[in-house]
Amino acid sequence: EIDQMVEATGDNAEMRDYLLWYLANRYETSNIMGYDRIFVHMVDRYFTRQSYDWLHPEVQSNMIDHVDKLRKVLIGEFAPTLLMADTSNNFINLYQVDAEFTVVIFWSGSCGECQRELKALNELYRSGDYDMGIYSVNTDTSFNKWKEYIRKYGLEWVNVNGNLSLTGDYHDLYDIYSTPVIYVLDREKVIIAKRIAADSIAGILRRHIQMKSN
């Protein structure tokens, strides 16, 4: 529909430019899960091969760079591989997590919201209601505080440190610019949900199970 609207502007460059800027901004910043795919489409189609007088080249370059990161973590894509060190300095691959669902969470012990999300996630994990593994990526630089937090709150899942990685910068791989960030993967490690609250996970898993059974 966006493509049809843009095409319908014809020779009205002012209307076309307004639509492009308004809609690109709307879908880049949308809080609706999955709408980032629309932003990727728009940048690929309208901003990659064509420049505009009203768009600063640096802003356009940043849009293209952002899309190159986003396209790897769109819903329906295989999650990028993560190979990071655990508390014993053993490297663990995300794809080693053997469960029907895998939750990947990026968090910091100094972040109050992260602490609340970890608590809710731990309650769901301990309930045993779902065949679910957790790949928990710490983003702090203090290893001792990280380990103390794990012991204090009994986080008995895969705990790895994002600063000790063999697969590149997790910021770029998973479009991480703040914490906490949660991704939900199916058994094959395909992304089925992302950037959600921990208390939304159970509902997403139920719907996914129902869809597979229908």
Side-chain angles (χ1 to χ4, degrees):
E1 291 180 358
I2 288 174
D3 293 340
Q4 292 174 3
M5 290 173 63
V6 173
E7 185 177 354
T9 61
D11 296 329
N12 189 336
E14 185 176 358
M15 178 59 73
R16 178 206 64 194
D17 293 347
Y18 172 77
L19 283 175
L20 289 177
W21 179 248
Y22 171 77
L23 292 170
N25 181 68
R26 176 178 179 179
Y27 290 110
E28 181 181 21
T29 59
S30 175
N31 291 324
I32 299 177
M33 186 171 59
Y35 273 19
D36 51 353
R37 184 178 289 276
I38 301 173
F39 175 66
V40 170
H41 168 81
M42 289 197 67
V43 171
D44 285 345
R45 179 154 183 163
Y46 300 108
F47 295 98
T48 300
R49 301 181 184 86
Q50 184 176 353
S51 58
Y52 303 92
D53 293 339
W54 49 270
L55 183 61
H56 193 283
E58 185 176 352
V59 174
Q60 185 169 1
S61 177
N62 289 339
M63 291 171 68
I64 294 170
D65 289 344
H66 188 198
V67 158
D68 285 340
K69 296 175 184 177
L70 277 178
R71 71 173 80 254
K72 303 171 187 174
V73 287
L74 296 174
I75 292 176
E77 300 294 330
F78 285 98
T81 299
L82 294 174
L83 184 57
M84 297 174 168
D86 66 8
T87 55
S88 300
N89 287 324
N90 297 313
F91 283 89
I92 300 180
N93 194 318
L94 166 63
Y95 279 71
Q96 288 177 244
V97 178
D98 184 16
E100 192 66 27
F101 300 100
T102 302
V103 174
V104 183
I105 181 168
F106 297 85
W107 64 279
S108 164
S110 60
C111 158
E113 186 178 352
C114 296
Q115 295 174 22
R116 291 188 291 273
E117 291 296 276
L118 284 171
K119 180 180 178 181
L121 182 58
N122 202 16
E123 289 174 357
L124 177 62
Y125 180 72
R126 289 178 175 229
S127 73
D129 291 340
Y130 301 95
D131 181 10
M132 180 179 70
I134 312 289
Y135 193 88
S136 174
V137 182
N138 169 62
T139 62
D140 286 332
T141 55
S142 173
F143 290 4
N144 288 334
K145 289 183 179 179
W146 168 51
K147 293 177 182 179
E148 288 174 6
Y149 193 97
I150 292 171
R151 287 194 294 268
K152 181 178 179 179
Y153 294 100
L155 306 183
E156 299 175 353
W157 50 47
V158 176
N159 292 288
V160 294
N161 198 294
N163 301 289
L164 294 176
S165 172
L166 297 180
T167 45
D169 190 337
Y170 65 86
H171 295 92
D172 295 331
L173 288 172
Y174 277 80
D175 189 39
I176 304 300
Y177 48 84
S178 64
T179 56
V181 175
I182 291 175
Y183 282 78
V184 182
L185 320 177
D186 68 9
R187 175 168 287 282
E188 285 71 40
K189 302 299 183 283
V190 171
I191 299 169
I192 60 175
K194 66 177 189 174
R195 297 190 175 278
I196 59 171
D199 59 11
S200 299
I201 295 174
I204 288 171
L205 300 188
R206 284 196 300 270
R207 287 194 295 272
H208 189 79
I209 292 169
Q210 288 173 350
M211 288 173 60
K212 287 189 68 175
S213 63
N214 290 338

